[in-house]
């Protein structure tokens, strides 16, 4: 109950155009949104543009957010997903390839953090089917609830949890050297 009251208060402040609330939301979700977009578009610049466009669309559609009952984070990721899909479709029509790129660390601190284990996980992650990758990105990387992911992917929360378990099993199999993950 307290969470829904808090969410409603935040949605009301965002809807009223409260600059501080928008800034706090932006700072809270930007890193996860950028990471999600970077894995799905050609360049870091295009990922930044996609996140910016998602924020603009979210501001423009705030009246619809309150009616959905979704958290601002879930709403933003849903909008971002549509922006990224639009960009992928446009890229495909123009035949710009590749539609994905490897995420490369920006500076020395990031370079120091990226190790062999992370490279192995990224490589294994890339072998997963698109739907599994997207589900894990939303659930694990972005930290959205199964209910939020269900709304974004047009699934039931129970189906999200089941699909997540299967996707994690596939990821473990890849990391363990098992075959036949792409099905």
């Amino acid at each position: 109950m307290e969470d829904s009251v808090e969410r409603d208060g935040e949605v009301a402040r965002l809807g009223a155009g409260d600059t501080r609330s928008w800034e706090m939301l932006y700072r809270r979700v930007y890193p996860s949104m950028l990471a999600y977009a970077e894995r799905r578009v050609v360049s870091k610049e295009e990922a930044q543009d996609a996140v910016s466009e998602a924020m603009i669309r979210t501001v423009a559609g705030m009246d619809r957010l309150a009616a959905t009952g979704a958290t601002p984070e879930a709403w933003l990721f849903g909008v971002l997903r549509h922006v990224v899909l639009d960009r992928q479709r446009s890229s495909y029509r123009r035949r710009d390839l590749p539609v994905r790129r490897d995420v490369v660390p920006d500076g020395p601190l990031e370079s120091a953090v990226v190790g062999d284990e992370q490279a192995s996980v990224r490589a294994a992650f890339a072998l997963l089917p698109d739907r599994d990758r997207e589900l894990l990105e939303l659930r694990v990387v972005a930290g959205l609830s199964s209910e939020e992911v269900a709304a974004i992917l047009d699934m039931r929360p129970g189906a999200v949890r089941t699909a997540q378990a299967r996707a994690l099993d596939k990821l473990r199999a890849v990391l363990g050297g098992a075959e036949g993950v792409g099905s």
Side-chain angles (χ1 to χ4, degrees), residues 87-157:
R87 289 173 181 268
Q88 288 173 337
R89 281 187 213 104
S90 175
S91 176
Y92 178 76
R93 282 192 293 272
R94 289 188 321 261
R95 301 295 192 262
D96 292 345
L97 297 174
V99 294
R100 272 187 214 89
R101 69 166 184 82
D102 290 333
V103 178
V104 178
D106 292 329
L109 178 60
E110 291 85 3
S111 296
V113 172
V114 176
D116 291 339
E117 187 173 295
Q118 288 176 328
S120 296
V121 171
R122 280 198 180 112
F125 203 77
L127 296 174
L128 293 175
D130 286 341
R131 184 76 170 187
D132 290 343
R133 249 191 338 264
E134 182 172 36
L135 186 135
L136 290 177
E137 287 171 348
L138 292 170
R139 281 286 286 141
V140 179
V141 177
L144 299 178
S145 70
S146 56
E147 290 78 13
E148 293 168 326
V149 174
I152 292 168
L153 299 179
D154 195 27
M155 298 171 71
R156 293 184 179 195

Side-chain angles (χ1 to χ4, degrees), residues 25-34 55 73 76-77:
L25 175 64
Y26 181 81
R27 289 180 187 273
R28 190 170 66 230
V29 299
Y30 182 81
S32 298
M33 291 178 69
L34 183 61
M55 291 298 293
E73 291 88 348
L76 272 166
F77 272 95

